[in-house]
């Protein structure tokens, strides 16, 4: 092989994140280095369907004297330890060029995905995931309608390794006056692309991913999941609607059902990869809720899972990543191929002994 002819699975290279303008260093040749760390499986945790000490379970007490209703589907409440407060000053509060600061207002909510303490998105029924999708859309609609809320960030931290404080299936919403950093970068890049091409960046991107095929993970009639070309985390994916959609509330009924279905399939594949409840941070990016229409936007979800090699070996974003730039070893193409090989039957169900046959009357 000619060492000077570029081979994407051999040669270190940088890839540009078209959505944010950031870059990632890819070092595919390193996947051949010997691995002497642990690869053991984690002990299976088993949780009760209801935990009397859980602050998210139905009927239980939360901080500050609040009590959850005995909810039977999803349940949304204002975070008792909110990072943003709805009432406060506005505008510049720093002093001078080197000490800039702006007052920020907003609010934080917690969404319980299910009354069942022992489930995860991967283990919930598609029918119940439809309700999660409905609540996400409802919250973006309701909060986005407020003049003091210009961005609604819906997200989920899954697993203790991602800082989730409680295994009860739940997500969060932080909504505030200023568009946060990541969607602001995406807004800028999508706007630039739209000015040059007259088409949304992610609509063109998906078209090319569908043609190239090598980074596709799963798809259905309305959604496609890809390992993005510029992925940073080992098994990072992007969830994209096939149609051009600005924000979650714009999703049609059939797209919501198909989203529930694809989320179940994706998270099941994730869990099967290392036979563990796969940790991640995920979240939705849609157009800002400043009352304007942003035709350059395309709705999408990011999944950022930290695991690299097993249920216990994670990718660290340290040294060079902190001081230089993000880096990965396995390529997005290799990660997509791994995820494509996974079964869509959850390993916990697959390993369960078959139900004894009914002996008959
Ligand atoms: P995480 O598990 O992703 O940290 O989310 C749980 C949130 O629940 C967390 O933000 C809130 C925490 O502030 N919380 C309450 O609002 N009330 C409680 O009684 C405990 C935790
Ligand atoms: Zn619980």
């Amino acid at each position: 092989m000619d060492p000077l002819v570029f081979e994407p699975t051999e040669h270190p290279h940088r890839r540009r994140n078209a959505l944010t303008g950031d870059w990632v260093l890819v070092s595919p040749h390193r996947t051949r280095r010997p691995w002497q760390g642990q690869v053991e499986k984690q002990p299976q945790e088993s949780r009760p369907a209801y935990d009397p000490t859980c602050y998210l379970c139905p009927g239980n007490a939360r901080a500050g004297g609040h009590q959850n209703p005995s909810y039977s589907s999803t349940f949304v409440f204002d975070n008792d330890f909110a990072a943003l407060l709805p009432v406060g000053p506005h505008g510049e509060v720093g002093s001078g060029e080197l000490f800039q600061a702006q007052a920020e207002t907003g609010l934080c909510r917690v969404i319980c995905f299910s009354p069942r303490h022992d489930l995860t998105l991967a283990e919930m029924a598609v029918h119940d995931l439809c309700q999660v999708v409905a609540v996400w859309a409802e919250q973006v609609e309701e909060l986005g309608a407020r003049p003091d809320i210009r961005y609604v960030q819906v997200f989920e931290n899954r697993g203790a390794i991602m800082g989730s404080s409680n295994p009860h299936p739940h997500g969060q919403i932080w909504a505030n006056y200023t568009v946060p950093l990541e969607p602001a970068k995406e807004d800028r890049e999508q706007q630039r692309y739209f000015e040059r091409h007259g088409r949304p960046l992610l609509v063109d991107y998906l078209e090319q991913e569908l043609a190239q095929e090598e980074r596709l993970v799963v798809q259905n009639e309305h959604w496609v999941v890809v390992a993005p070309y510029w992925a940073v985390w080992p098994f990072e994916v992007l969830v994209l609607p096939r149609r051009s959609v600005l924000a979650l509330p714009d999703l049609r009924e059939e797209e919501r059902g198909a989203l529930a279905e694809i989320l179940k399939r994706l998270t099941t594949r994730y869990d099967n990869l290392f036979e563990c409840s796969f940790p991640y941070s995920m979240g939705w990016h849609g157009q800002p809720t400043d009352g304007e229409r942003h035709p350059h936007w395309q709705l999408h979800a990011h999944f950022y899972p930290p695991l690299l090699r097993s249920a216990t070996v994670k990718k660290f974003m340290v040294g060079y990543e902190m001081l230089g730039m993000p880096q990965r070893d396995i390529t997005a193409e290799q990660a997509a191929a791994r995820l494509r090989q996974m079964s869509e039957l959850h390993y916990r169900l697959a390993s369960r002994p078959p139900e004894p046959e009914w002996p008959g009357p």
Side-chain angles (χ1 to χ4, degrees):
M1 187 170 36
D2 184 341
L4 297 183
V5 174
F6 178 68
E7 182 55 58
T9 56
E10 285 294 327
H11 295 117
H13 57 282
R14 3 196 274 154
R15 295 187 186 191
R16 183 171 182 273
N17 183 332
L19 197 50
T20 60
D22 295 338
W23 290 78
V24 54
L25 177 65
V26 185
S27 316
H29 60 294
R30 284 177 91 211
T31 51
R32 282 196 303 265
R33 97 201 125 120
W35 172 251
Q36 294 184 318
Q38 341 119 269
V39 286
E40 83 271 15
K41 281 185 188 168
Q42 257 179 330
Q44 286 297 338
E45 57 159 348
S46 95
R47 296 198 302 272
Y50 167 76
D51 177 350
T53 68
C54 168
Y55 57 78
L56 297 179
C57 275
N60 289 1
R62 298 201 316 270
H66 301 279
Q67 191 188 359
N68 298 329
S70 35
Y71 65 97
S72 58
S73 168
T74 54
F75 167 54
V76 181
F77 62 92
D78 287 326
N79 197 313
D80 302 310
F81 305 97
L84 293 154
L85 300 172
V87 180
H90 271 278
E92 295 291 334
V93 291
S95 54
E97 190 183 342
L98 300 181
F99 298 87
Q100 292 185 36
Q102 292 164 359
E104 186 63 67
T105 54
L107 50 93
C108 301
R109 288 181 174 171
V110 178
I111 311 175
C112 298
F113 293 157
S114 161
R116 286 271 303 269
H117 186 78
D118 56 335
L119 297 182
T120 62
L121 292 185
E123 291 169 289
M124 285 171 64
V126 171
H127 172 266
D128 296 323
L129 292 176
C130 287
Q131 182 52 33
V132 174
V133 172
V135 170
W136 283 337
E138 215 173 271
Q139 289 292 318
V140 172
E141 177 132 59
E142 180 200 316
L143 294 171
R146 293 169 51 142
D148 57 339
I149 298 295
R150 298 196 299 193
Y151 205 81
V152 183
Q153 183 60 59
V154 174
F155 66 98
E156 177 192 6
N157 293 324
R158 159 102 215 107
I161 201 177
M162 293 311 291
S164 176
S165 59
N166 185 329
H168 193 113
H170 70 283
Q172 294 194 46
I173 296 173
W174 292 22
N176 60 323
Y177 188 67
T178 319
V179 179
L181 203 55
E182 290 301 315
K185 286 193 256 180
E186 294 186 352
D187 184 59
R188 182 193 63 209
E189 293 302 317
Q190 291 180 101
Q191 173 124 42
R192 279 186 190 158
Y193 186 92
F194 195 80
E195 279 163 11
R196 285 201 300 275
H197 303 278
R199 286 166 59 88
L201 183 156
L202 283 177
V203 169
D204 278 0
Y205 175 71
L206 178 59
E207 201 178 286
Q208 292 177 39
E209 285 290 12
L210 287 168
Q212 294 182 25
E213 292 184 341
E214 58 182 343
R215 281 173 299 276
L216 300 177
V217 175
V218 273
Q219 42 182 314
N220 65 19
E221 202 188 334
H222 298 288
W223 296 88
V224 182
V225 178
V226 300
Y229 182 69
W230 52 76
V232 165
W233 293 93
F235 294 95
E236 174 177 337
V237 300
L238 196 59
V239 181
L240 290 164
R242 289 188 191 268
R243 183 174 68 91
S244 153
V245 178
L246 298 177
L248 280 165
D250 302 329
L251 289 174
R252 298 171 181 155
E253 207 48 46
E254 61 274 19
E255 291 167 329
R256 296 177 184 213
L259 174 57
E261 198 249 359
I262 206 121
L263 287 175
K264 166 120 184 146
R265 292 170 59 196
L266 168 66
T267 51
T268 300
R269 283 170 184 267
Y270 267 165
D271 281 9
N272 287 342
L273 187 62
F274 299 129
E275 298 205 352
C276 66
S277 194
F278 204 67
Y280 56 75
S281 273
M282 69 80 66
W284 286 98
H285 283 151
Q287 70 170 351
T289 57
D290 53 5
E292 307 282 313
R293 238 185 127 262
H294 303 269
H296 53 282
W297 262 91
Q298 171 71 326
L299 174 72
H300 58 275
H302 298 277
F303 277 79
Y304 299 131
L307 295 184
L308 173 64
R309 212 184 299 270
S310 74
T312 52
V313 179
K314 66 172 280 208
K315 160 77 184 162
F316 286 98
M317 289 291 171
V318 291
Y320 193 77
E321 285 87 352
M322 285 178 141
L323 293 149
M325 67 192 292
Q327 182 273 345
R328 63 179 292 137
D329 292 348
I330 76 162
T331 62
E333 297 74 40
Q334 290 165 331
R338 288 280 302 278
L339 289 170
R340 275 199 305 271
Q341 284 162 9
M342 292 300 124
S343 161
E344 291 186 354
L345 173 64
H346 198 274
Y347 73 94
R348 281 185 196 251
L349 295 176
S351 64
R352 195 171 287 172
E355 300 277 318
E357 235 172 274
W358 191 48

mmCIF file of all heavy atoms in Angstrom, residues 48-51 53-58 60 71 114-118 166-169, ligand 2:
data_model
loop_
_atom_site.group_PDB
_atom_site.id
_atom_site.type_symbol
_atom_site.label_atom_id
_atom_site.label_comp_id
_atom_site.label_asym_id
_atom_site.label_seq_id
_atom_site.Cartn_x
_atom_site.Cartn_y
_atom_site.Cartn_z
ATOM 1 N N PRO A 48 -37.036 -2.974 41.318
ATOM 2 C CA PRO A 48 -38.473 -3.225 41.493
ATOM 3 C C PRO A 48 -39.280 -2.283 40.590
ATOM 4 O O PRO A 48 -38.786 -1.219 40.203
ATOM 5 C CB PRO A 48 -38.700 -2.875 42.966
ATOM 6 C CG PRO A 48 -37.645 -1.856 43.270
ATOM 7 C CD PRO A 48 -36.447 -2.214 42.429
ATOM 8 N N ALA A 49 -40.496 -2.670 40.245
ATOM 9 C CA ALA A 49 -41.365 -1.822 39.419
ATOM 10 C C ALA A 49 -41.742 -0.542 40.167
ATOM 11 O O ALA A 49 -41.989 0.493 39.575
ATOM 12 C CB ALA A 49 -42.610 -2.595 39.019
ATOM 13 N N TYR A 50 -41.771 -0.646 41.482
ATOM 14 C CA TYR A 50 -42.039 0.526 42.329
ATOM 15 C C TYR A 50 -41.023 0.545 43.463
ATOM 16 O O TYR A 50 -40.781 -0.478 44.107
ATOM 17 C CB TYR A 50 -43.468 0.461 42.906
ATOM 18 C CG TYR A 50 -43.704 1.442 44.021
ATOM 19 C CD1 TYR A 50 -43.893 2.801 43.743
ATOM 20 C CD2 TYR A 50 -43.692 1.049 45.356
ATOM 21 C CE1 TYR A 50 -44.076 3.727 44.764
ATOM 22 C CE2 TYR A 50 -43.883 1.968 46.394
ATOM 23 C CZ TYR A 50 -44.068 3.296 46.088
ATOM 24 O OH TYR A 50 -44.240 4.211 47.095
ATOM 25 N N ASP A 51 -40.402 1.710 43.700
ATOM 26 C CA ASP A 51 -39.414 1.831 44.762
ATOM 27 C C ASP A 51 -39.893 2.910 45.735
ATOM 28 O O ASP A 51 -39.966 4.092 45.377
ATOM 29 C CB ASP A 51 -38.056 2.219 44.152
ATOM 30 C CG ASP A 51 -36.973 2.430 45.205
ATOM 31 O OD1 ASP A 51 -37.300 2.472 46.406
ATOM 32 O OD2 ASP A 51 -35.800 2.575 44.811
ATOM 33 N N THR A 53 -38.500 4.454 47.971
ATOM 34 C CA THR A 53 -37.544 5.520 48.290
ATOM 35 C C THR A 53 -37.234 6.405 47.092
ATOM 36 O O THR A 53 -36.436 7.334 47.191
ATOM 37 C CB THR A 53 -36.214 4.937 48.809
ATOM 38 O OG1 THR A 53 -35.579 4.241 47.713
ATOM 39 C CG2 THR A 53 -36.416 3.976 49.964
ATOM 40 N N CYS A 54 -37.860 6.099 45.913
ATOM 41 C CA CYS A 54 -37.552 6.860 44.691
ATOM 42 C C CYS A 54 -38.367 8.151 44.654
ATOM 43 O O CYS A 54 -39.586 8.122 44.807
ATOM 44 C CB CYS A 54 -37.882 6.002 43.472
ATOM 45 S SG CYS A 54 -37.873 6.925 41.931
ATOM 46 N N TYR A 55 -37.701 9.282 44.378
ATOM 47 C CA TYR A 55 -38.448 10.548 44.364
ATOM 48 C C TYR A 55 -39.198 10.776 43.050
ATOM 49 O O TYR A 55 -39.859 11.788 42.884
ATOM 50 C CB TYR A 55 -37.522 11.731 44.686
ATOM 51 C CG TYR A 55 -36.339 11.876 43.756
ATOM 52 C CD1 TYR A 55 -36.487 12.427 42.478
ATOM 53 C CD2 TYR A 55 -35.069 11.471 44.153
ATOM 54 C CE1 TYR A 55 -35.402 12.555 41.628
ATOM 55 C CE2 TYR A 55 -33.979 11.594 43.305
ATOM 56 C CZ TYR A 55 -34.163 12.139 42.044
ATOM 57 O OH TYR A 55 -33.090 12.258 41.194
ATOM 58 N N LEU A 56 -39.090 9.814 42.116
ATOM 59 C CA LEU A 56 -39.838 9.959 40.861
ATOM 60 C C LEU A 56 -41.007 8.982 40.750
ATOM 61 O O LEU A 56 -41.867 9.126 39.886
ATOM 62 C CB LEU A 56 -38.898 9.782 39.650
ATOM 63 C CG LEU A 56 -37.773 10.808 39.504
ATOM 64 C CD1 LEU A 56 -36.908 10.504 38.289
ATOM 65 C CD2 LEU A 56 -38.319 12.227 39.400
ATOM 66 N N CYS A 57 -41.033 7.962 41.592
ATOM 67 C CA CYS A 57 -42.128 6.989 41.521
ATOM 68 C C CYS A 57 -43.463 7.632 41.917
ATOM 69 O O CYS A 57 -43.492 8.577 42.706
ATOM 70 C CB CYS A 57 -41.833 5.793 42.437
ATOM 71 S SG CYS A 57 -40.811 4.518 41.650
ATOM 72 N N PRO A 58 -44.582 7.124 41.358
ATOM 73 C CA PRO A 58 -45.906 7.679 41.649
ATOM 74 C C PRO A 58 -46.208 7.687 43.143
ATOM 75 O O PRO A 58 -45.887 6.737 43.849
ATOM 76 C CB PRO A 58 -46.865 6.744 40.902
ATOM 77 C CG PRO A 58 -46.043 6.053 39.886
ATOM 78 C CD PRO A 58 -44.652 5.987 40.423
ATOM 79 N N ASN A 60 -44.890 9.226 45.551
ATOM 80 C CA ASN A 60 -43.795 9.436 46.512
ATOM 81 C C ASN A 60 -43.503 10.916 46.770
ATOM 82 O O ASN A 60 -43.903 11.787 46.002
ATOM 83 C CB ASN A 60 -42.522 8.746 46.010
ATOM 84 C CG ASN A 60 -42.622 7.236 46.090
ATOM 85 O OD1 ASN A 60 -43.644 6.701 46.508
ATOM 86 N ND2 ASN A 60 -41.568 6.550 45.689
ATOM 87 N N TYR A 71 -49.490 8.966 39.156
ATOM 88 C CA TYR A 71 -49.607 9.035 37.685
ATOM 89 C C TYR A 71 -49.479 7.645 37.065
ATOM 90 O O TYR A 71 -48.835 6.763 37.634
ATOM 91 C CB TYR A 71 -48.569 10.008 37.120
ATOM 92 C CG TYR A 71 -47.123 9.610 37.299
ATOM 93 C CD1 TYR A 71 -46.431 8.964 36.271
ATOM 94 C CD2 TYR A 71 -46.424 9.878 38.479
ATOM 95 C CE1 TYR A 71 -45.090 8.594 36.414
ATOM 96 C CE2 TYR A 71 -45.094 9.519 38.635
ATOM 97 C CZ TYR A 71 -44.437 8.875 37.595
ATOM 98 O OH TYR A 71 -43.129 8.511 37.735
ATOM 99 N N SER A 114 -42.302 7.109 32.590
ATOM 100 C CA SER A 114 -43.178 5.980 32.895
ATOM 101 C C SER A 114 -43.336 5.900 34.409
ATOM 102 O O SER A 114 -42.436 6.296 35.148
ATOM 103 C CB SER A 114 -42.527 4.690 32.375
ATOM 104 O OG SER A 114 -43.090 3.553 32.994
ATOM 105 N N PRO A 115 -44.464 5.376 34.900
ATOM 106 C CA PRO A 115 -44.580 5.150 36.346
ATOM 107 C C PRO A 115 -43.689 3.995 36.810
ATOM 108 O O PRO A 115 -43.402 3.868 37.989
ATOM 109 C CB PRO A 115 -46.061 4.809 36.535
ATOM 110 C CG PRO A 115 -46.538 4.341 35.208
ATOM 111 C CD PRO A 115 -45.686 5.015 34.171
ATOM 112 N N ARG A 116 -43.255 3.161 35.872
ATOM 113 C CA ARG A 116 -42.484 1.963 36.214
ATOM 114 C C ARG A 116 -41.020 2.296 36.477
ATOM 115 O O ARG A 116 -40.287 2.737 35.589
ATOM 116 C CB ARG A 116 -42.572 0.969 35.044
ATOM 117 C CG ARG A 116 -43.921 0.265 34.930
ATOM 118 C CD ARG A 116 -43.960 -1.010 35.744
ATOM 119 N NE ARG A 116 -42.920 -1.957 35.377
ATOM 120 C CZ ARG A 116 -43.052 -2.909 34.457
ATOM 121 N NH1 ARG A 116 -44.183 -3.055 33.801
ATOM 122 N NH2 ARG A 116 -42.044 -3.723 34.212
ATOM 123 N N HIS A 117 -40.589 2.049 37.701
ATOM 124 C CA HIS A 117 -39.232 2.350 38.137
ATOM 125 C C HIS A 117 -38.183 1.490 37.426
ATOM 126 O O HIS A 117 -37.023 1.875 37.296
ATOM 127 C CB HIS A 117 -39.150 2.122 39.650
ATOM 128 C CG HIS A 117 -37.855 2.532 40.269
ATOM 129 N ND1 HIS A 117 -37.551 3.842 40.544
ATOM 130 C CD2 HIS A 117 -36.772 1.801 40.640
ATOM 131 C CE1 HIS A 117 -36.342 3.904 41.078
ATOM 132 N NE2 HIS A 117 -35.840 2.686 41.142
ATOM 133 N N ASP A 118 -38.607 0.304 36.958
ATOM 134 C CA ASP A 118 -37.638 -0.677 36.443
ATOM 135 C C ASP A 118 -37.426 -0.600 34.933
ATOM 136 O O ASP A 118 -36.657 -1.392 34.387
ATOM 137 C CB ASP A 118 -38.104 -2.098 36.808
ATOM 138 C CG ASP A 118 -39.514 -2.402 36.308
ATOM 139 O OD1 ASP A 118 -40.298 -1.447 36.116
ATOM 140 O OD2 ASP A 118 -39.825 -3.584 36.100
ATOM 141 N N ASN A 166 -30.832 9.085 39.278
ATOM 142 C CA ASN A 166 -31.888 8.144 39.625
ATOM 143 C C ASN A 166 -32.186 7.272 38.409
ATOM 144 O O ASN A 166 -32.362 7.799 37.308
ATOM 145 C CB ASN A 166 -33.125 8.977 40.006
ATOM 146 C CG ASN A 166 -34.268 8.133 40.511
ATOM 147 O OD1 ASN A 166 -34.457 6.982 40.114
ATOM 148 N ND2 ASN A 166 -35.057 8.698 41.391
ATOM 149 N N PRO A 167 -32.246 5.925 38.601
ATOM 150 C CA PRO A 167 -32.487 5.052 37.436
ATOM 151 C C PRO A 167 -33.922 5.098 36.915
ATOM 152 O O PRO A 167 -34.196 4.607 35.823
ATOM 153 C CB PRO A 167 -32.166 3.654 37.979
ATOM 154 C CG PRO A 167 -32.357 3.748 39.454
ATOM 155 C CD PRO A 167 -32.028 5.162 39.837
ATOM 156 N N HIS A 168 -34.848 5.679 37.689
ATOM 157 C CA HIS A 168 -36.239 5.792 37.211
ATOM 158 C C HIS A 168 -36.217 6.512 35.848
ATOM 159 O O HIS A 168 -35.597 7.559 35.719
ATOM 160 C CB HIS A 168 -37.065 6.584 38.230
ATOM 161 C CG HIS A 168 -38.530 6.481 37.977
ATOM 162 N ND1 HIS A 168 -39.398 5.847 38.820
ATOM 163 C CD2 HIS A 168 -39.276 6.913 36.935
ATOM 164 C CE1 HIS A 168 -40.627 5.904 38.323
ATOM 165 N NE2 HIS A 168 -40.569 6.555 37.173
ATOM 166 N N PRO A 169 -36.907 5.938 34.812
ATOM 167 C CA PRO A 169 -36.797 6.548 33.477
ATOM 168 C C PRO A 169 -37.321 7.983 33.448
ATOM 169 O O PRO A 169 -38.492 8.222 33.704
ATOM 170 C CB PRO A 169 -37.651 5.627 32.599
ATOM 171 C CG PRO A 169 -38.549 4.886 33.534
ATOM 172 C CD PRO A 169 -37.786 4.750 34.819
HETATM 173 ZN ZN1 LIG B 2 -38.998 5.262 40.733
#
